[in-house]
């Protein structure tokens, strides 16, 4: 096959303990999936159905990156999240079978232009400008489920300049990983290479140029990025 322009580089994520990488096809994200965070965002902490948005695959950047402060915002926020990486394909998947699709897990940060997201939400407009910008999806090493299993509890945390900002537990996900995958698979055929950011615990807040962000999920290592 030949193309009329240079082919875009394939986004990928490093896999722990190996040299082969995980290719990224799509990035789905879940909103308000911890009750305390739903409250801090002015929402209903009850179990309303999950809702989804997306980021472009090339928003992925590795741990250790220096991320330029994105243009067009006065209020850039951090959201530390458990990320699920899919190695299988499925549509209309039952929750009981959903984990069969999972290749592995990582820790990621859903960087957010909170001011734009809020303004867009008020007007009922799409969230891409607030969520889907360049380098908005830092992600740490990917840990294969074949090695670590399927984590359902464990601390999830993020510090800014070594000061604690977010500290939760993935056991407090409003919608579990199997439930999220099952719901998402009713709207999209899930395929190998898909990443799902599963939502953030309470404590989101603004970050400035020069800040260092580091965070982690128990058993999934840590992530560290710098805001340029
Ligand atoms: Mn998020």
């Amino acid at each position: 096959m030949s193309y009329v322009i240079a082919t875009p580089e394939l986004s990928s994520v490093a896999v722990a303990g190996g040299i082969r990488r995980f290719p990224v096809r799509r990035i789905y994200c879940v909103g308000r999936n911890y009750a305390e965070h739903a409250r801090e965002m002015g929402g209903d902490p009850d179990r309303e159905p999950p809702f989804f948005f997306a980021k472009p695959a090339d928003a992925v950047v590795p741990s250790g990156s220096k991320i330029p402060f994105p243009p067009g915002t006065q209020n850039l926020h951090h959201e530390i999240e458990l990320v699920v990486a899919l190695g299988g394909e499925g549509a209309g998947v039952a929750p009981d079978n959903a984990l069969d699709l999972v290749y592995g897990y990582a820790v990621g940060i859903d960087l957010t232009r909170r001011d734009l997201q809020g303004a867009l939400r008020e007007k009922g407009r799409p969230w891409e400008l607030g969520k889907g910008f360049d380098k908005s999806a830092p992600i740490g090493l990917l840990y294969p489920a074949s090695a670590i299993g399927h984590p359902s509890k464990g601390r999830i945390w993020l510090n800014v300049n070594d000061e604690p900002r977010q500290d939760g537990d993935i056991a407090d996900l409003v919608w579990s990983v199997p439930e999220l995958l099952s719901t998402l698979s009713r709207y999209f055929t899930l395929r190998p290479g898909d990443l799902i950011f599963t939502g953030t615990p309470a404590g989101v807040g603004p970050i400035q140029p020069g800040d260092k962000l580091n965070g982690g999920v128990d058993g999934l290592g840590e992530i560290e990025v710098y805001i340029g």
Side-chain angles (χ1 to χ4, degrees):
M1 185 74 73
S2 65
Y3 298 95
V4 296
I5 58 167
T7 54
E9 198 178 323
L10 181 65
S11 288
S12 64
V13 176
V15 176
I19 54 167
R20 295 193 300 164
R21 298 178 65 86
F22 178 90
V24 179
R25 174 181 176 262
R26 292 184 179 177
I27 305 174
Y28 299 105
C29 304
V30 184
R32 297 185 186 176
N33 202 26
Y34 290 79
E36 280 299 322
H37 174 63
R39 269 183 220 109
E40 76 180 349
M41 295 301 292
D44 181 354
D46 289 339
R47 213 162 179 258
E48 56 184 17
F51 67 94
F52 301 93
F53 58 94
K55 292 178 186 259
D58 69 355
V60 163
V61 291
S63 181
S65 294
K66 187 166 187 175
I67 298 170
F69 193 90
T73 181
Q74 309 298 320
N75 195 19
L76 180 66
H77 272 211
H78 55 79
E79 298 188 355
I80 190 79
E81 309 204 0
L82 170 69
V83 180
V84 184
L86 302 189
E89 176 173 326
V93 180
D96 283 352
N97 302 325
L99 292 182
D100 295 345
L101 270 54
V102 175
Y103 171 79
Y105 299 87
V107 56
I109 304 173
D110 167 15
L111 289 175
T112 301
R113 288 164 165 154
R114 190 72 73 203
D115 44 358
L116 297 193
Q117 182 204 15
L120 295 163
R121 188 174 54 209
E122 261 173 42
K123 292 180 175 164
R125 289 179 180 168
W127 283 13
E128 274 83 355
L129 295 181
K131 288 289 197 178
F133 52 93
D134 295 342
K135 302 182 189 296
S136 60
I139 185 165
L141 292 177
L142 188 52
Y143 289 79
S146 60
I148 64 152
H150 297 278
S152 58
K153 58 180 169 27
R155 185 172 174 237
I156 179 170
W157 58 275
L158 181 134
N159 294 347
V160 177
N161 302 325
D162 299 319
E163 294 290 328
R165 288 278 190 91
Q166 294 186 267
D167 199 343
D169 196 297
I170 59 171
D172 295 329
L173 285 171
V174 174
W175 295 92
S176 69
V177 170
E179 290 169 333
L180 290 173
L181 297 180
S182 177
T183 303
L184 197 54
S185 78
R186 298 208 302 264
Y187 298 93
F188 302 97
T189 298
L190 301 178
R191 294 189 193 282
D194 291 346
L195 297 177
I196 296 96
F197 279 63
T198 59
T200 197
V204 300
I207 43 183
Q208 313 294 337
D211 282 349
K212 177 183 85 172
L213 280 57
N214 76 301
V217 173
D218 279 351
L220 302 179
E222 296 189 10
I223 186 172
E224 184 165 302
V225 296
Y226 306 86
I227 306 301

